[in-house]
Amino acid sequence: MFEIFEKAFADLGIEDGYCTSIIFKGYNQAGGLNSSFGGGNPMWMKDADGNAAFGGDNDSLKAYLECMNAWYDKGWLDKAFAERSNDAPYAIDIAGTHLGTVGMWVGRRSETGSQLDVGDNPYTAGSMVYGARFPINDIYGTAAEQMVEPNSLYQESRIRGSLVVTNKIAEEDLPTVLTFLDYLYTTEGGALLCFGLTKEQFEETQDETYLEFGVTNGAFSVEEQADGSIIYARDEQLLSDNNLASAMAGKRLKIGYYADGFVPALNASYLLTAREAMAEWDYYTNEAFPERALRQLFTVEESNTFSKVFANVDAHMASTIPAFITGKLDIGSEDDWNDYTVMLNKYQPEKVTAIYQRLFDLLNQ
């Protein structure tokens, strides 16, 4: 693919183009592309055995850096990636991507399809942008880092936000409440949160809000496509009124398949290319990256420990990892790698690993 990009740049006379971009640190703490090299991420994660682990000095990160260094040497990476510290991970060098001088990037739904084909820019005229899932490494590292599906992604998992069931709920009502929460992790429950009631559900409940605003056909319908897939089509009345559409839905309850992104990817209100992109981005499931909600379970002492250790570890990695990518440090040098890992471990990342392990043990009881 990158060789095709190079040819296109040459044919179009683009001298400042490059094939792909990465975040300025050279790594994403949630994983992403790094997870394509054996799974996991460069920070704290849940490993294949369900235990807490730290990935800042493991073989997966090393294989990833070998690849990034090779891409950098071939001119496929953004030569100025380490200078883009003010760019969000999903909007790196947005000027370049929107001018058509970047072949592949981490982007957004609004950039898919022909949506970049605007104005008189000859580089984006007639362009089409498609979403792609993360690749799987089959070249770098050992067999352990190859042919492994990525499992640590910047993606909502089922542990998204704090949800507390208090003693305000009567004991006899608790089974009903817990059954309802489980229901939200079904496809039907996720659609309820994302869109609202179907016509059948409205007719059964005669919801007063739906009656007041005349949404008597329900908020959406399920439509089967010729290929057997389904989409969720909002009622026409709600398509023209975003406020009413939001009022019909249950978006304040941030759990369930709606939160996972599973249901929104089937929303017929989005362009087909956007829906296809979302399906690709969610093709692999985040199982390794611990959600921020877990940090709310830290004790005060644990929070202080996490803040201190994370700040030191992240600062060291952010100042060193780009050097391995650009070749200022040699990823193939045992001395360079040992110097990096020795300093990294002086910041005691195992302290945070132990905190996460306590929480994983608690959740698995």
Side-chain angles (χ1 to χ4, degrees):
M1 183 190 296
F2 289 171
E3 290 170 352
I4 293 172
F5 289 163
E6 284 185 309
K7 186 177 185 304
F9 292 148
D11 290 346
L12 293 170
I14 299 174
E15 297 181 355
D16 57 347
Y18 55 88
C19 296
T20 191
S21 55
I22 57 174
I23 192 171
F24 72 97
K25 296 178 182 180
Y27 64 93
N28 189 322
Q29 70 185 66
L33 183 57
N34 170 245
S35 191
S36 296
F37 294 78
N41 64 62
M43 301 293 265
W44 291 277
M45 69 183 112
K46 181 182 288 187
D47 67 16
D49 297 319
N51 294 315
F54 176 69
D57 56 357
N58 66 11
D59 291 336
S60 175
L61 177 60
K62 196 170 184 181
Y64 164 78
L65 292 176
E66 289 173 2
C67 177
M68 293 301 103
N69 175 247
W71 287 4
Y72 187 89
D73 285 346
K74 291 178 180 180
W76 291 347
L77 275 189
D78 175 12
K79 292 294 185 182
F81 79 89
E83 301 169 19
R84 304 190 190 279
S85 58
N86 292 324
D87 291 358
Y90 54 83
I92 299 172
D93 186 15
I94 196 168
T97 58
H98 286 205
L99 286 173
T101 59
V102 183
M104 184 172 71
W105 66 95
V106 177
R108 293 164 287 185
R109 186 178 65 238
S110 60
E111 295 169 331
T112 58
S114 61
Q115 296 180 90
L116 294 187
D117 181 6
V118 295
D120 299 323
N121 180 14
Y123 299 148
T124 57
S127 65
M128 282 292 291
V129 177
Y130 293 95
R133 70 190 68 161
F134 282 108
I136 295 178
N137 168 49
D138 61 349
I139 297 175
Y140 300 93
T142 68
E145 288 78 56
Q146 296 176 9
M147 307 310 295
V148 178
E149 293 186 356
N151 64 352
S152 186
L153 310 167
Y154 184 70
Q155 176 192 87
E156 301 293 359
S157 75
R158 292 191 173 190
I159 307 173
R160 184 182 188 195
S162 296
L163 182 68
V164 177
V165 178
T166 73
N167 58 10
K168 294 291 185 180
I169 297 175
E171 185 173 350
E172 60 269 21
D173 294 333
L174 195 56
T176 301
V177 172
L178 296 179
T179 300
F180 170 68
L181 296 179
D182 283 342
Y183 168 72
L184 298 180
Y185 284 107
T186 66
T187 302
E188 183 180 279
L192 172 69
L193 285 183
C194 186
F195 303 108
L197 301 177
T198 63
K199 182 177 181 179
E200 293 75 18
Q201 289 169 334
F202 160 71
E203 289 176 346
E204 182 178 350
T205 61
Q206 293 295 304
D207 184 270
E208 293 181 0
T209 303
Y210 280 65
L211 287 170
E212 179 181 351
F213 290 97
V215 190
T216 55
N217 287 322
F220 76 104
S221 59
V222 181
E223 298 181 0
E224 184 171 348
Q225 306 301 290
D227 62 359
S229 63
I230 64 170
I231 58 174
Y232 296 95
R234 287 193 190 277
D235 182 72
E236 289 187 7
Q237 181 180 352
L238 304 185
L239 285 175
S240 59
D241 190 336
N242 287 332
N243 291 329
L244 185 58
S246 295
M248 297 299 103
K251 296 184 178 181
R252 291 185 180 275
L253 195 54
K254 300 294 188 182
I255 64 170
Y257 270 162
Y258 162 66
D260 290 349
F262 175 80
V263 170
L266 303 177
N267 188 340
S269 301
Y270 300 142
L271 296 173
L272 177 60
T273 49
R275 295 202 306 272
E276 290 175 341
M278 294 170 73
E280 291 296 305
W281 298 334
D282 284 339
Y283 185 84
Y284 300 112
T285 301
N286 172 42
E287 298 175 346
F289 180 54
E291 286 289 342
R292 291 178 179 85
L294 286 179
R295 297 180 202 164
Q296 297 174 14
L297 300 178
F298 289 177
T299 65
V300 173
E301 182 179 355
E302 288 172 339
S303 293
N304 291 336
T305 299
F306 174 84
S307 297
K308 180 179 179 180
V309 173
F310 176 84
N312 289 331
V313 165
D314 191 49
H316 175 59
M317 292 179 65
S319 64
T320 311
I321 293 299
F324 281 118
I325 295 174
T326 61
K328 293 178 181 178
L329 293 175
D330 183 0
I331 190 60
S333 165
E334 188 173 333
D335 288 340
D336 283 353
W337 185 252
N338 284 341
D339 288 345
Y340 158 72
T341 58
V342 167
M343 181 59 68
L344 179 67
N345 285 294
K346 284 185 177 181
Y347 298 122
Q348 300 179 292
E350 69 276 6
K351 288 185 175 181
V352 171
T353 306
I355 294 172
Y356 275 119
Q357 187 62 54
R358 180 185 75 80
L359 296 178
F360 293 163
D361 291 342
L362 183 64
L363 291 173
N364 290 328
Q365 286 181 356

